[in-house]
Every structure is written in C-alpha cells, then in structure tokens.
Amino acid sequence: MSCPYQESDDGPLEGPVDLSRLTEREKQVLLLLGGGPSNHELSRRLRISERTVKAHISHILIKIGQSTRLQAAMVSALHHHQLCSSPNCRWSLAAGPAPHDASLA
C-alpha cells in the first residue's frame, strides 16, 4: 500500500514546528495534551480553570502553526523528547524503546 500523503501536498502536520516560542506552562499543557485528556481533566491536573486551559491551547496552536487540537496532540507525541525535560521520563527517547506489549501482536 502506498502512502496517501504522496498523492497530495497535505501531510499529517502542516509545516515545520517551532517549539521555542512556547512558555514553560504552554509546554506543560502541550505535553499533557498528547495523552488526550479533556479540558476539564487538564484543568483539574494543572489546578487552573477550563477557560485558562482553552486560552493556553489557543496560544499553543498559533505558536506551533497548527489548526486543531488533534494536530497539537500529534506534535506533543512526535516532539515529546524536546518538550519534556525529565531525565527519568518513560516516554523519552533517551529511555530507549517502549516495552513491547505482547497483547498487541
């Protein structure tokens, strides 16, 4: 099967992603967004209002040049190693590959 992106100019993400413009809090929100939580869950975990969560997500989308929450979540997953500063992060590239789940095979 050929890649469907080869037949169009659209790819899974639009253009290069510049994470350097994000504040530390925006990086934190983006990291959490990669796990798929709702705005309510993000507000609970970060101890901020849902309105503030929505504002952060809006600013993140503008700064990283994406148009949807899903695209931001993809950026979070693809660039986790740039966003996360924890040396013990189990999702970090430095930690090596994630353990294989035999139930998925």
Side-chain angles (χ1 to χ4, degrees):
M1 180 168 111
S2 68
C3 176
Y5 298 120
Q6 290 176 335
E7 298 172 12
S8 74
D9 291 334
D10 298 328
L13 295 174
E14 298 175 9
V17 176
D18 180 9
L19 302 173
S20 68
R21 297 179 55 211
L22 298 177
T23 65
E24 288 305 310
R25 186 58 144 185
E26 289 167 345
K27 287 179 183 178
Q28 185 180 27
V29 171
L30 182 56
L31 274 169
L32 292 172
L33 193 60
S38 66
N39 288 346
H40 177 74
E41 177 63 19
L42 283 171
S43 71
R44 187 187 67 74
R45 289 174 71 178
L46 296 171
R47 295 185 174 101
I48 58 178
S49 72
E50 283 188 58
R51 183 176 180 174
T52 302
V53 168
K54 290 177 186 180
H56 282 310
I57 293 172
S58 179
H59 295 146
I60 290 166
L61 290 173
I62 291 166
K63 288 180 179 182
I64 65 173
Q66 302 302 316
S67 57
T68 69
R69 181 188 182 104
L70 176 58
Q71 289 173 325
M74 289 174 61
V75 166
S76 176
L78 292 170
H79 297 278
H80 184 90
H81 61 286
Q82 292 175 290
L83 293 165
C84 182
S85 59
S86 173
N88 300 322
C89 178
R90 72 181 213 186
W91 304 108
S92 170
L93 292 178
H100 176 69
D101 185 346
S103 68
L104 298 176

XYZ file of all heavy atoms in Angstrom:
801
model
N 0.845 -1.180 0.000
C 0.000 0.000 0.000
C 0.891 1.244 0.000
O 1.835 1.343 0.770
C -0.884 -0.017 1.247
C -1.801 1.163 1.331
S -3.032 0.917 2.604
C -2.510 2.130 3.775
N 0.590 2.179 -0.858
C 1.380 3.409 -0.920
C 0.872 4.414 0.107
O -0.266 4.365 0.554
C 1.326 4.011 -2.318
O 0.025 4.476 -2.588
N 1.729 5.323 0.453
C 1.393 6.358 1.430
C 0.422 7.359 0.804
O 0.696 7.926 -0.259
C 2.670 7.068 1.872
S 2.353 8.447 2.994
N -0.727 7.618 1.432
C -1.694 8.558 0.852
C -1.175 9.993 0.785
O -1.659 10.798 0.011
C -2.909 8.462 1.784
C -2.401 7.860 3.034
C -1.196 7.045 2.681
N -0.169 10.323 1.591
C 0.374 11.670 1.583
C 1.213 11.929 0.331
O 1.454 13.075 -0.020
C 1.202 11.934 2.835
C 0.376 11.824 4.095
C 0.693 10.902 5.076
C -0.729 12.643 4.306
C -0.068 10.798 6.230
C -1.492 12.541 5.444
C -1.153 11.618 6.402
O -1.905 11.530 7.536
N 1.670 10.883 -0.333
C 2.459 11.052 -1.545
C 1.619 11.635 -2.684
O 2.148 12.235 -3.597
C 3.052 9.714 -1.996
C 4.138 9.224 -1.073
C 4.651 7.846 -1.484
O 3.938 7.076 -2.126
N 5.874 7.556 -1.111
N 0.316 11.447 -2.610
C -0.567 11.892 -3.683
C -1.132 13.293 -3.456
O -1.942 13.762 -4.239
C -1.703 10.883 -3.842
C -1.190 9.507 -4.242
C -2.269 8.446 -4.210
O -3.462 8.801 -4.099
O -1.908 7.267 -4.300
N -0.718 13.950 -2.371
C -1.220 15.299 -2.104
C -0.126 16.114 -1.427
O 0.904 15.592 -1.034
C -2.453 15.241 -1.200
O -2.078 14.925 0.117
N -0.379 17.390 -1.284
C 0.564 18.266 -0.596
C 0.334 18.258 0.915
O 1.098 18.837 1.662
C 0.444 19.698 -1.112
C 0.952 19.833 -2.539
O 1.799 19.025 -2.943
O 0.484 20.749 -3.239
N -0.751 17.627 1.340
C -1.080 17.588 2.759
C -0.321 16.456 3.432
O -0.173 15.374 2.886
C -2.581 17.351 2.959
C -3.420 18.468 2.374
O -2.948 19.612 2.377
O -4.537 18.183 1.912
N 0.145 16.728 4.608
C 0.782 15.706 5.420
C 0.075 15.634 6.753
O -0.877 16.365 6.997
N 0.542 14.772 7.634
C -0.122 14.660 8.929
C -0.016 15.930 9.770
O -0.862 16.199 10.588
C 0.590 13.493 9.601
C 1.841 13.291 8.844
C 1.634 13.856 7.475
N 1.022 16.723 9.543
C 1.171 18.012 10.213
C 1.553 19.044 9.168
O 2.247 18.729 8.211
C 2.263 17.957 11.281
C 1.993 17.044 12.467
C 3.219 16.973 13.365
C 0.800 17.519 13.261
N 1.091 20.265 9.363
C 1.359 21.317 8.389
C 2.656 22.048 8.715
O 2.728 22.780 9.688
C 0.188 22.298 8.364
C -1.111 21.650 7.938
C -2.283 22.595 8.039
O -2.085 23.800 8.266
O -3.406 22.120 7.891
N 3.679 21.852 7.923
C 4.923 22.589 8.045
C 5.765 22.232 9.253
O 5.388 21.414 10.067
N 6.925 22.876 9.355
C 7.813 22.623 10.494
C 7.211 23.180 11.783
O 6.410 24.111 11.754
C 9.098 23.357 10.117
C 8.667 24.409 9.161
C 7.465 23.859 8.431
N 7.603 22.611 12.889
C 7.069 23.015 14.186
C 8.172 23.698 14.984
O 9.242 23.134 15.183
C 6.539 21.781 14.953
C 6.065 22.170 16.326
C 5.430 21.106 14.172
N 7.898 24.930 15.430
C 8.848 25.685 16.239
C 8.337 25.725 17.676
O 7.378 26.428 17.980
C 8.998 27.101 15.688
C 9.969 27.957 16.481
O 10.670 27.419 17.368
O 10.033 29.170 16.214
N 8.963 24.944 18.540
C 8.532 24.866 19.933
C 9.179 25.929 20.812
O 8.782 26.110 21.954
C 8.853 23.477 20.496
C 8.223 22.308 19.751
C 8.746 20.989 20.301
C 6.714 22.367 19.813
N 10.162 26.646 20.273
C 10.913 27.613 21.065
C 10.070 28.805 21.520
O 10.431 29.486 22.476
C 12.134 28.112 20.293
O 11.731 28.890 19.178
N 8.964 29.048 20.861
C 8.119 30.191 21.223
C 7.176 29.900 22.381
O 6.525 30.801 22.901
C 7.307 30.629 20.001
C 8.189 31.111 18.864
C 7.395 31.525 17.642
N 6.400 32.519 17.986
C 5.235 32.662 17.373
N 4.913 31.872 16.373
N 4.378 33.585 17.741
N 7.096 28.640 22.795
C 6.179 28.264 23.866
C 6.745 28.624 25.236
O 7.937 28.469 25.488
C 5.915 26.754 23.843
C 5.256 26.178 22.596
C 5.148 24.660 22.714
C 3.898 26.799 22.357
N 5.857 29.086 26.130
C 6.256 29.310 27.515
C 6.376 27.949 28.195
O 5.914 26.929 27.667
C 5.204 30.144 28.264
O 3.989 29.381 28.355
C 4.941 31.477 27.577
N 6.967 27.924 29.369
C 7.083 26.663 30.108
C 5.708 26.074 30.401
O 5.504 24.867 30.309
C 7.889 26.852 31.397
C 9.367 27.059 31.159
C 10.012 25.948 30.335
O 9.816 24.754 30.665
O 10.712 26.273 29.351
N 4.742 26.907 30.753
C 3.387 26.418 31.043
C 2.739 25.870 29.780
O 2.068 24.843 29.822
C 2.541 27.546 31.637
C 1.176 27.100 32.100
C 1.271 26.005 33.151
N 0.226 26.179 34.123
C 0.097 25.444 35.202
N 0.939 24.469 35.463
N -0.880 25.658 36.051
N 2.935 26.533 28.640
C 2.380 26.041 27.381
C 3.004 24.693 27.011
O 2.311 23.805 26.516
C 2.582 27.062 26.269
C 1.700 28.288 26.419
C 2.089 29.445 25.523
O 3.202 29.451 24.960
O 1.278 30.385 25.411
N 4.292 24.529 27.271
C 4.944 23.233 27.024
C 4.321 22.160 27.905
O 4.078 21.040 27.458
C 6.448 23.319 27.289
C 7.209 24.092 26.242
C 8.683 24.170 26.578
C 9.437 25.017 25.574
N 10.861 25.150 25.908
N 4.041 22.505 29.152
C 3.418 21.560 30.068
C 2.028 21.159 29.570
O 1.679 19.981 29.555
C 3.325 22.179 31.464
C 2.806 21.248 32.519
C 2.735 21.934 33.882
O 2.593 23.157 33.979
N 2.837 21.144 34.933
N 1.241 22.137 29.143
C -0.095 21.861 28.617
C 0.009 20.990 27.364
O -0.726 20.009 27.208
C -0.871 23.166 28.321
C -2.165 22.897 27.569
C -1.147 23.927 29.615
N 0.939 21.323 26.469
C 1.106 20.555 25.240
C 1.512 19.116 25.543
O 0.996 18.185 24.926
C 2.125 21.228 24.324
C 2.372 20.572 22.964
C 1.084 20.426 22.164
C 3.406 21.375 22.183
N 2.422 18.923 26.486
C 2.814 17.565 26.871
C 1.608 16.765 27.341
O 1.405 15.625 26.921
C 3.859 17.605 27.990
C 5.299 17.746 27.557
C 6.185 18.053 28.758
C 5.781 16.488 26.857
N 0.802 17.356 28.205
C -0.374 16.663 28.718
C -1.414 16.434 27.629
O -2.084 15.409 27.598
C -0.989 17.447 29.879
C -0.146 17.500 31.152
C -0.766 18.459 32.163
C 0.025 16.122 31.747
N -1.522 17.374 26.711
C -2.479 17.272 25.615
C -2.204 16.025 24.768
O -3.124 15.413 24.230
C -2.411 18.531 24.748
C -3.513 18.769 23.744
C -4.859 18.867 24.429
C -3.235 20.035 22.972
N -0.948 15.633 24.689
C -0.579 14.448 23.923
C -1.198 13.168 24.442
O -1.306 12.181 23.717
N -1.622 13.164 25.700
C -2.266 11.994 26.276
C -3.764 11.948 26.038
O -4.420 10.984 26.414
N -4.313 12.992 25.439
C -5.728 13.006 25.072
C -6.726 13.405 26.142
O -7.904 13.092 26.018
N -6.319 14.123 27.197
C -7.300 14.488 28.220
C -8.245 15.592 27.743
O -7.917 16.361 26.849
C -6.435 14.995 29.373
C -5.249 15.573 28.694
C -4.999 14.666 27.511
N -9.389 15.662 28.389
C -10.345 16.740 28.112
C -9.846 18.029 28.753
O -8.933 18.014 29.585
C -11.711 16.381 28.705
O -11.627 16.351 30.127
N -10.467 19.138 28.390
C -10.135 20.415 29.019
C -10.402 20.348 30.522
O -9.641 20.889 31.320
C -10.928 21.564 28.399
C -10.441 21.903 27.007
O -9.376 21.490 26.588
N -11.244 22.653 26.285
N -11.479 19.668 30.904
C -11.814 19.526 32.313
C -10.705 18.774 33.048
O -10.280 19.186 34.137
C -13.157 18.808 32.487
C -13.522 18.564 33.902
N -13.960 19.561 34.744
C -13.480 17.431 34.646
C -14.182 19.056 35.941
N -13.894 17.761 35.910
N -10.237 17.683 32.461
C -9.163 16.904 33.075
C -7.871 17.718 33.157
O -7.166 17.687 34.167
C -8.931 15.605 32.299
C -7.794 14.753 32.817
C -7.976 14.237 34.235
O -9.106 14.218 34.740
O -6.967 13.844 34.851
N -7.542 18.446 32.086
C -6.350 19.301 32.117
C -6.457 20.347 33.223
O -5.491 20.584 33.949
C -6.149 19.992 30.769
C -5.576 19.150 29.642
C -5.636 19.911 28.326
C -4.150 18.738 29.952
N -7.619 20.958 33.357
C -7.790 21.991 34.382
C -7.643 21.399 35.778
O -7.042 22.018 36.659
C -9.129 22.707 34.229
O -10.205 21.873 34.591
N -8.159 20.207 35.979
C -8.043 19.544 37.270
C -6.585 19.210 37.582
O -6.091 19.484 38.672
C -8.891 18.275 37.283
C -8.976 17.600 38.648
C -9.675 16.259 38.592
N -8.917 15.269 37.847
C -7.812 14.661 38.282
N -7.307 14.979 39.449
N -7.198 13.752 37.542
N -5.884 18.643 36.596
C -4.492 18.235 36.817
C -3.558 19.430 37.027
O -2.613 19.355 37.800
C -4.006 17.394 35.637
C -4.658 16.013 35.630
C -4.325 15.218 34.420
N -2.933 14.787 34.427
C -2.407 14.027 33.475
N -3.139 13.607 32.473
N -1.143 13.682 33.540
N -3.829 20.520 36.316
C -2.968 21.699 36.406
C -3.440 22.701 37.464
O -2.767 23.708 37.704
C -2.887 22.393 35.039
C -2.224 21.566 33.937
C -2.404 22.244 32.586
C -0.752 21.354 34.246
N -4.621 22.447 38.021
C -5.220 23.334 39.024
C -5.419 24.747 38.481
O -5.067 25.745 39.123
C -4.393 23.344 40.304
C -4.366 22.011 40.997
C -3.642 22.096 42.335
N -3.740 20.837 43.043
C -2.760 19.943 43.090
N -1.616 20.168 42.480
N -2.919 18.827 43.768
N -5.975 24.805 37.275
C -6.333 26.074 36.644
C -7.743 25.933 36.071
O -8.262 24.826 35.974
C -5.331 26.474 35.517
C -5.246 25.392 34.429
C -3.951 26.742 36.109
C -4.324 25.729 33.264
N -8.350 27.032 35.696
C -9.716 26.974 35.170
C -9.728 26.415 33.745
O -8.716 26.461 33.034
C -10.338 28.371 35.171
O -9.754 29.172 34.162
N -10.868 25.884 33.343
C -11.015 25.400 31.968
C -10.824 26.535 30.973
O -10.291 26.328 29.883
C -12.378 24.736 31.763
C -12.448 23.346 32.358
C -13.719 22.619 32.006
O -13.988 22.441 30.786
O -14.442 22.221 32.939
N -11.263 27.714 31.355
C -11.083 28.885 30.476
C -9.594 29.143 30.231
O -9.179 29.460 29.117
C -11.750 30.097 31.107
C -11.700 31.320 30.268
C -12.458 32.443 30.918
N -12.398 33.629 30.075
C -13.048 34.727 30.309
N -13.838 34.814 31.350
N -12.923 35.754 29.507
N -8.780 28.994 31.272
C -7.331 29.176 31.133
C -6.730 28.073 30.265
O -5.856 28.340 29.441
C -6.659 29.227 32.519
O -7.247 30.293 33.277
C -5.168 29.447 32.407
N -7.211 26.848 30.438
C -6.756 25.738 29.592
C -7.036 26.058 28.129
O -6.170 25.909 27.266
C -7.434 24.405 29.990
C -7.194 23.329 28.942
C -6.954 23.939 31.353
N -8.254 26.503 27.843
C -8.638 26.836 26.462
C -7.746 27.942 25.903
O -7.353 27.893 24.737
C -10.108 27.249 26.398
C -11.059 26.098 26.627
C -12.502 26.581 26.633
C -13.456 25.467 26.994
N -14.854 25.932 27.010
N -7.430 28.929 26.736
C -6.553 30.026 26.292
C -5.159 29.490 25.982
O -4.567 29.850 24.951
C -6.484 31.115 27.359
N -4.636 28.625 26.849
C -3.315 28.031 26.595
C -3.315 27.252 25.280
O -2.403 27.389 24.474
C -2.902 27.100 27.737
C -2.391 27.792 28.956
N -1.418 28.776 28.930
C -2.707 27.620 30.267
C -1.165 29.178 30.156
N -1.940 28.506 30.999
N -4.336 26.438 25.078
C -4.399 25.635 23.853
C -4.485 26.525 22.623
O -3.818 26.272 21.613
C -5.567 24.622 23.913
C -5.281 23.563 24.991
C -5.787 23.958 22.552
C -6.435 22.629 25.275
N -5.264 27.584 22.704
C -5.364 28.527 21.591
C -4.010 29.151 21.275
O -3.603 29.233 20.108
C -6.389 29.610 21.938
O -6.486 30.553 20.904
N -3.298 29.584 22.307
C -1.963 30.179 22.105
C -0.983 29.157 21.549
O -0.172 29.477 20.669
C -1.429 30.750 23.413
C -2.224 31.895 23.938
N -2.406 32.122 25.275
C -2.894 32.880 23.301
C -3.157 33.192 25.439
N -3.469 33.674 24.251
N -1.057 27.929 22.040
C -0.180 26.853 21.559
C -0.400 26.621 20.068
O 0.554 26.535 19.291
C -0.413 25.554 22.358
C 0.120 25.708 23.785
C 0.229 24.354 21.670
C -0.361 24.620 24.749
N -1.659 26.507 19.662
C -1.971 26.259 18.247
C -1.389 27.351 17.353
O -0.805 27.062 16.306
C -3.480 26.156 18.039
C -4.154 24.909 18.622
C -5.673 25.023 18.488
C -3.645 23.650 17.967
N -1.529 28.587 17.776
C -0.993 29.707 16.995
C 0.526 29.616 16.920
O 1.118 29.726 15.843
C -1.440 31.054 17.594
C -2.947 31.240 17.396
C -0.651 32.213 16.999
C -3.552 32.369 18.226
N 1.161 29.394 18.062
C 2.625 29.396 18.118
C 3.266 28.227 17.367
O 4.370 28.371 16.840
C 3.096 29.398 19.571
C 2.860 30.721 20.272
C 3.343 30.668 21.708
C 3.144 31.989 22.413
N 3.663 31.957 23.797
N 2.590 27.077 17.340
C 3.184 25.926 16.647
C 2.660 25.781 15.219
O 3.036 24.855 14.511
C 3.015 24.605 17.429
C 1.548 24.200 17.544
C 3.695 24.697 18.794
C 1.328 22.823 18.156
N 1.809 26.704 14.804
C 1.349 26.724 13.423
C 0.424 25.579 13.041
O 0.428 25.120 11.899
N -0.379 25.133 13.987
C -1.338 24.064 13.717
C -2.742 24.614 13.913
O -2.929 25.656 14.529
C -1.079 22.861 14.639
C 0.312 22.281 14.532
C 0.678 21.815 13.137
O -0.116 21.175 12.457
N 1.877 22.141 12.706
N -3.736 23.899 13.383
C -5.093 24.443 13.454
C -6.052 23.640 14.322
O -7.145 24.108 14.600
C -5.674 24.590 12.043
O -5.652 23.353 11.375
N -5.662 22.446 14.754
C -6.582 21.645 15.561
C -5.887 21.078 16.791
O -4.665 20.925 16.841
C -7.168 20.460 14.762
O -6.122 19.511 14.500
C -7.811 20.917 13.463
N -6.708 20.741 17.757
C -6.241 20.104 18.990
C -5.574 18.764 18.671
O -4.576 18.404 19.293
C -7.451 19.928 19.905
C -7.178 19.308 21.222
C -8.520 19.030 21.933
N -8.277 18.478 23.226
C -8.384 19.154 24.360
N -8.751 20.416 24.341
N -8.132 18.573 25.511
N -6.125 18.036 17.723
C -5.543 16.752 17.324
C -4.132 16.938 16.772
O -3.218 16.183 17.105
C -6.429 16.049 16.296
C -5.894 14.735 15.732
C -5.643 13.721 16.847
C -6.858 14.170 14.712
N -3.941 17.952 15.950
C -2.601 18.227 15.423
C -1.641 18.574 16.564
O -0.489 18.145 16.565
C -2.651 19.362 14.398
C -3.306 18.966 13.093
C -3.505 20.141 12.171
O -3.780 21.263 12.604
N -3.369 19.901 10.879
N -2.119 19.326 17.535
C -1.272 19.673 18.683
C -0.897 18.409 19.462
O 0.248 18.267 19.905
C -1.982 20.672 19.594
N -1.838 17.495 19.615
C -1.551 16.236 20.307
C -0.506 15.432 19.534
O 0.374 14.800 20.134
C -2.824 15.429 20.497
N -0.585 15.460 18.207
C 0.411 14.767 17.386
C 1.786 15.408 17.568
O 2.795 14.710 17.686
C 0.003 14.789 15.911
C -1.185 13.903 15.606
S -1.760 14.068 13.893
C -0.335 13.547 12.975
N 1.826 16.728 17.606
C 3.086 17.435 17.840
C 3.641 17.014 19.198
O 4.835 16.743 19.339
C 2.891 18.971 17.770
C 4.093 19.700 18.333
C 2.618 19.398 16.338
N 2.776 16.935 20.187
C 3.199 16.523 21.522
C 3.847 15.148 21.494
O 4.912 14.940 22.067
C 1.999 16.516 22.472
O 2.369 16.034 23.740
N 3.215 14.217 20.815
C 3.753 12.854 20.750
C 5.044 12.799 19.950
O 6.010 12.153 20.366
C 2.706 11.920 20.141
N 5.077 13.474 18.824
C 6.247 13.421 17.945
C 7.446 14.186 18.498
O 8.586 13.876 18.171
C 5.889 13.954 16.560
C 4.919 13.094 15.757
C 4.459 13.839 14.515
C 5.554 11.766 15.391
N 7.197 15.194 19.319
C 8.277 16.041 19.821
C 8.400 15.974 21.341
O 8.949 16.881 21.967
C 8.057 17.496 19.376
C 8.083 17.660 17.899
N 9.257 17.771 17.188
C 7.080 17.700 16.983
C 8.971 17.888 15.901
N 7.661 17.842 15.760
N 7.922 14.896 21.921
C 7.954 14.740 23.370
C 9.362 14.942 23.931
O 9.552 15.623 24.934
C 7.421 13.367 23.780
C 7.338 13.184 25.255
N 6.211 13.506 25.965
C 8.248 12.748 26.152
C 6.436 13.272 27.248
N 7.658 12.803 27.393
N 10.330 14.388 23.246
C 11.719 14.482 23.714
C 12.226 15.916 23.772
O 13.132 16.223 24.532
C 12.632 13.628 22.833
C 12.642 14.041 21.401
N 11.591 13.791 20.539
C 13.563 14.717 20.684
C 11.874 14.291 19.355
N 13.067 14.853 19.415
N 11.629 16.819 22.984
C 12.019 18.230 23.021
C 11.254 19.002 24.098
O 11.731 20.023 24.575
C 11.763 18.892 21.669
C 12.676 18.393 20.570
C 12.285 19.002 19.233
O 11.238 18.672 18.678
N 13.116 19.909 18.757
N 10.081 18.524 24.427
C 9.230 19.219 25.382
C 9.483 18.805 26.826
O 9.361 19.600 27.739
C 7.756 18.955 25.060
C 7.232 19.540 23.758
C 5.904 18.907 23.383
C 7.098 21.038 23.887
N 9.849 17.552 27.018
C 9.985 17.002 28.362
C 11.438 17.085 28.823
O 12.336 16.591 28.137
C 9.510 15.548 28.384
S 9.585 14.815 30.020
N 11.633 17.675 29.983
C 12.995 17.837 30.487
C 13.352 16.789 31.539
O 14.459 16.812 32.072
C 13.165 19.244 31.073
O 12.234 19.428 32.127
N 12.448 15.888 31.833
C 12.707 14.884 32.863
C 13.630 13.785 32.346
O 13.311 13.107 31.373
C 11.397 14.252 33.332
O 11.663 13.180 34.214
N 14.772 13.568 33.007
C 15.685 12.516 32.566
C 15.133 11.118 32.832
O 15.591 10.147 32.253
C 16.954 12.772 33.384
C 16.495 13.505 34.588
C 15.282 14.303 34.174
N 14.134 11.012 33.690
C 13.558 9.711 34.036
C 12.242 9.431 33.325
O 11.551 8.478 33.669
C 13.344 9.624 35.553
C 14.635 9.775 36.313
O 15.672 9.274 35.892
N 14.585 10.490 37.410
N 11.894 10.255 32.361
C 10.624 10.099 31.652
C 10.602 8.774 30.893
O 11.500 8.480 30.116
C 10.421 11.253 30.681
S 8.894 11.101 29.718
N 9.559 8.000 31.102
C 9.479 6.705 30.416
C 9.176 6.860 28.934
O 9.299 5.927 28.172
C 8.464 5.804 31.094
C 7.033 6.213 30.872
C 6.112 5.295 31.602
N 4.880 5.140 30.864
C 3.837 4.491 31.315
N 3.886 3.931 32.491
N 2.758 4.400 30.594
N 8.766 8.043 28.507
C 8.456 8.288 27.098
C 9.612 8.952 26.371
O 9.535 9.189 25.183
C 7.203 9.154 26.973
C 6.039 8.547 27.667
C 5.467 8.980 28.827
C 5.328 7.368 27.295
N 4.442 8.150 29.187
C 4.329 7.157 28.261
C 5.439 6.475 26.240
C 3.443 6.083 28.207
C 4.549 5.409 26.184
C 3.573 5.224 27.155
N 10.679 9.260 27.084
C 11.833 9.925 26.492
C 12.583 8.992 25.550
O 12.692 7.799 25.800
C 12.775 10.396 27.603
O 13.992 10.844 27.063
N 13.128 9.551 24.472
C 13.939 8.756 23.554
C 15.183 8.222 24.242
O 15.671 7.142 23.933
C 14.343 9.593 22.335
C 13.224 9.995 21.391
C 13.790 10.858 20.265
C 12.520 8.788 20.813
N 15.685 8.974 25.212
C 16.875 8.545 25.940
C 16.606 7.301 26.778
O 17.517 6.544 27.090
C 17.372 9.674 26.836
N 15.347 7.071 27.131
C 14.995 5.915 27.943
C 14.959 4.636 27.113
O 14.816 3.557 27.643
C 13.640 6.135 28.611
N 15.084 4.767 25.804
C 15.046 3.597 24.929
C 13.641 3.316 24.467
O 12.705 4.021 24.799
N 13.477 2.255 23.706
C 12.144 1.950 23.169
C 11.179 1.550 24.267
O 11.582 1.016 25.303
C 12.412 0.777 22.223
C 13.697 0.180 22.677
C 14.478 1.291 23.317
N 9.910 1.858 24.023
C 8.871 1.466 24.985
C 8.786 -0.053 25.012
O 9.025 -0.721 24.001
C 7.536 2.074 24.562
N 8.430 -0.617 26.164
C 8.321 -2.071 26.246
C 7.253 -2.574 25.291
O 6.215 -1.939 25.127
C 7.968 -2.338 27.701
C 7.636 -1.021 28.311
C 8.127 0.051 27.401
N 7.495 -3.714 24.685
C 6.570 -4.295 23.719
C 5.400 -4.945 24.465
O 5.613 -5.692 25.415
C 7.282 -5.337 22.861
C 6.375 -6.042 21.906
N 5.821 -5.385 20.822
C 5.908 -7.294 21.873
C 5.067 -6.239 20.158
N 5.096 -7.400 20.774
N 4.217 -4.667 24.046
C 3.038 -5.258 24.640
C 2.650 -6.457 23.787
O 2.141 -6.297 22.683
C 1.898 -4.238 24.717
C 0.665 -4.771 25.453
O 0.560 -5.986 25.674
O -0.193 -3.943 25.792
N 2.849 -7.646 24.288
C 2.583 -8.869 23.534
C 1.113 -9.005 23.171
O 0.775 -9.668 22.197
C 3.046 -10.090 24.329
N 0.223 -8.367 23.942
C -1.194 -8.487 23.643
C -1.576 -7.744 22.365
O -2.634 -7.984 21.811
C -2.020 -7.948 24.808
O -1.855 -6.545 24.934
N -0.710 -6.838 21.898
C -0.987 -6.092 20.675
C -0.504 -6.832 19.432
O -0.840 -6.473 18.325
C -0.343 -4.706 20.722
C -0.843 -3.789 21.819
C -0.057 -2.487 21.809
C -2.314 -3.505 21.674
N 0.304 -7.840 19.605
C 0.890 -8.565 18.471
C -0.087 -9.520 17.853
O -1.057 -9.917 18.357
C 2.144 -9.308 18.926
